[in-house]
């Protein structure tokens, strides 16, 4: 039996989509002053519900989290040529969003237990050019926000929370996305809540909200009250979400708590069982509400006696979706090693991208981190029990066939 596919489309999503189709307005945005600069009915409804849910004054919908991150870098006031500190163990656009604004990503290592940026190392990468930090609440677990905010305040830095993987997650009872200057969420199809593609920027800061709305919609005409003159206020793009995606968002946000609770229930079971095995370890801090976009744990090849990759191949052969996570630290990609972005042409700092830069990230990538993508609705506790107990009940003969069959040793 294979694991159920994701996402689940229900009657609520279909009804919402039909409402938009019947209305005939698939996108009501126009790039000039007036109500329609801020989008149509469903965009406003989704933004309103999202800001209520997260608890911020403003929520601004985008067509991806990547677009929202780019807008966030602009909106918090980072200038081209300035530096933005990011973790190297994350999805590409946490870092490329700075390059899109001709700013420079500077990588700072992560913690070995929760895989998020390590606040105690931020001082090592700080320079006169540093303007912002983007902590990622990776896999749904919060970064150490108190320490990050103290560091940011001391050094006059802006903080953009990358919450792409953590909608509904919390740090010390505060919703993720509400602690820094702004937060960014992804609704790409694999996420805890989804709109196919989509993103959201949340903030309590009116200036950030205004700037983000301009970046989203060609940068035109929201300040002037004249009719459309094609006067560009700032460099803007078309990062607008459609009414169809917003409609899916309205349906999905009403399910977010349920979907997260299901993930947490399944993950708690897996965590309890995994932590009984010497050599496997899942860590969640007590102060954090983890929403388990993915279930990540550490693997000790010496204690287990085989390599991480062989272990993953064996699990996959049992039908359990499993991987070694992100392939390599971002800075070891040619984009960084060979400084292939325009941003570097007018940059006066000393950013370094080389092997050995962030040793914890490197070891996690090479051999220590394992990701399971099974703790999500509609999988059940029974499925988790099968995952955990079934391999142990195989006979020696079955085990040999299952493990040596599909795997290249
Ligand atoms: C940590 C992180 N940041 C940013 C993104 C970008 O999201 P999107 O695909 O919506 O652009 C992702 C997407 O997977 C992500 O995981």
């Amino acid at each position: 039996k294979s694991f159920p596919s994701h996402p689940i489309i229900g009657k609520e999503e279909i009804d919402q989509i039909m409402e938009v189709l019947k209305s005939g307005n698939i996108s009501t945005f126009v790039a000039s002053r007036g109500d329609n600069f801020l989008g149509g009915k469903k965009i406003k409804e989704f933004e309103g519900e999202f800001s209520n849910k997260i608890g911020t004054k403003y929520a601004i919908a985008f067509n991806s989290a990547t677009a929202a991150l780019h807008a966030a870098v602009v909106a918090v006031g980072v200038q081209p040529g300035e530096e933005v500190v990011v973790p190297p163990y994350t999805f590409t656009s946490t870092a490329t969003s700075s390059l899109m604004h001709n700013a420079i990503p500077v990588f700072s290592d992560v913690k070995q237990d929760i895989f998020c940026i390590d606040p105690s190392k931020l001082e090592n990468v700080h320079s006169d050019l540093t303007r912002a930090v983007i902590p990622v609440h990776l896999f749904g677990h919060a970064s150490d926000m108190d320490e990050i905010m103290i560091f940011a305040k001391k050094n006059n830095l802006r903080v953009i929370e990358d919450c792409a993987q953590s909608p509904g997650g919390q740090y010390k009872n505060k919703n993720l996305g509400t602690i820094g200057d702004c937060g960014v969420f992804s609704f790409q199809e694999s996420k805890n809540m989804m709109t196919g593609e989509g993103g959201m920027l949340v903030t309590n800061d009116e200036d950030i909200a205004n700037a983000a709305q301009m970046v989203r919609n060609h940068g035109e005409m929201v300040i002037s009250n004249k009719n459309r003159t094609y006067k560009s206020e700032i460099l803007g793009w078309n990062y607008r979400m459609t009414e169809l995606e917003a409609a899916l968002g309205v349906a999905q946000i009403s399910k977010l708590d349920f979907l997260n609770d299901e993930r947490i229930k399944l993950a708690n079971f897996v965590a309890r069982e995994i932590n009984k095995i010497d050599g496997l370890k899942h860590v969640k801090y007590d102060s954090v509400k983890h929403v388990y976009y993915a279930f990540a744990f550490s693997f000790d090849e010496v204690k287990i006696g085989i390599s991480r990759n062989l272990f993953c191949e064996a699990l996959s052969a049992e039908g359990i979706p499993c991987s070694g996570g992100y392939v390599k630290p971002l800075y070891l990609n040619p984009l960084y090693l060979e400084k292939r972005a325009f941003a570097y042409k007018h940059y006066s700092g000393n950013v370094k991208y080389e092997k050995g830069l962030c040793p914890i990230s490197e070891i996690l990538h090479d051999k220590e981190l394992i990701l399971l993508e099974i703790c999500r609705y509609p999988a059940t506790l029974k499925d988790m029990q099968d995952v955990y107990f079934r391999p142990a009940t195989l006979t020696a003969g079955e085990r040999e066939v299952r493990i040596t069959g599909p795997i290249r040793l």
Side-chain angles (χ1 to χ4, degrees), residues 64-67 69 90-91 93-94 136 138 162 164-165 186-188 191 197-198 293 326:
S64 69
T66 302
L69 280 168
T90 178
F91 183 73
S93 57
T94 307
V136 181
L138 199 71
D162 184 337
Q165 304 182 1
S186 171
F187 309 126
Q188 176 272 335
K191 297 299 189 301
E197 300 289 348
Y293 168 61
Y326 293 114

Side-chain angles (χ1 to χ4, degrees), residues 178-229:
T178 65
I179 305 166
D181 294 283
C182 61
V184 166
F185 296 82
S186 171
F187 309 126
Q188 176 272 335
E189 193 170 73
S190 72
K191 297 299 189 301
N192 295 41
M193 62 170 280
M194 68 91 220
T195 61
E197 300 289 348
M200 190 74 83
L201 183 155
V202 299
T203 184
N204 287 314
D205 182 318
E206 190 180 355
D207 291 338
I208 292 177
N210 283 338
Q213 282 162 341
M214 303 258 284
V215 173
R216 169 174 73 174
N217 199 357
H218 300 289
E220 284 189 346
M221 291 304 302
V222 280
I223 292 172
S224 162
N225 59 6
K226 297 205 181 91
N227 286 333
R228 190 178 181 117
T229 62

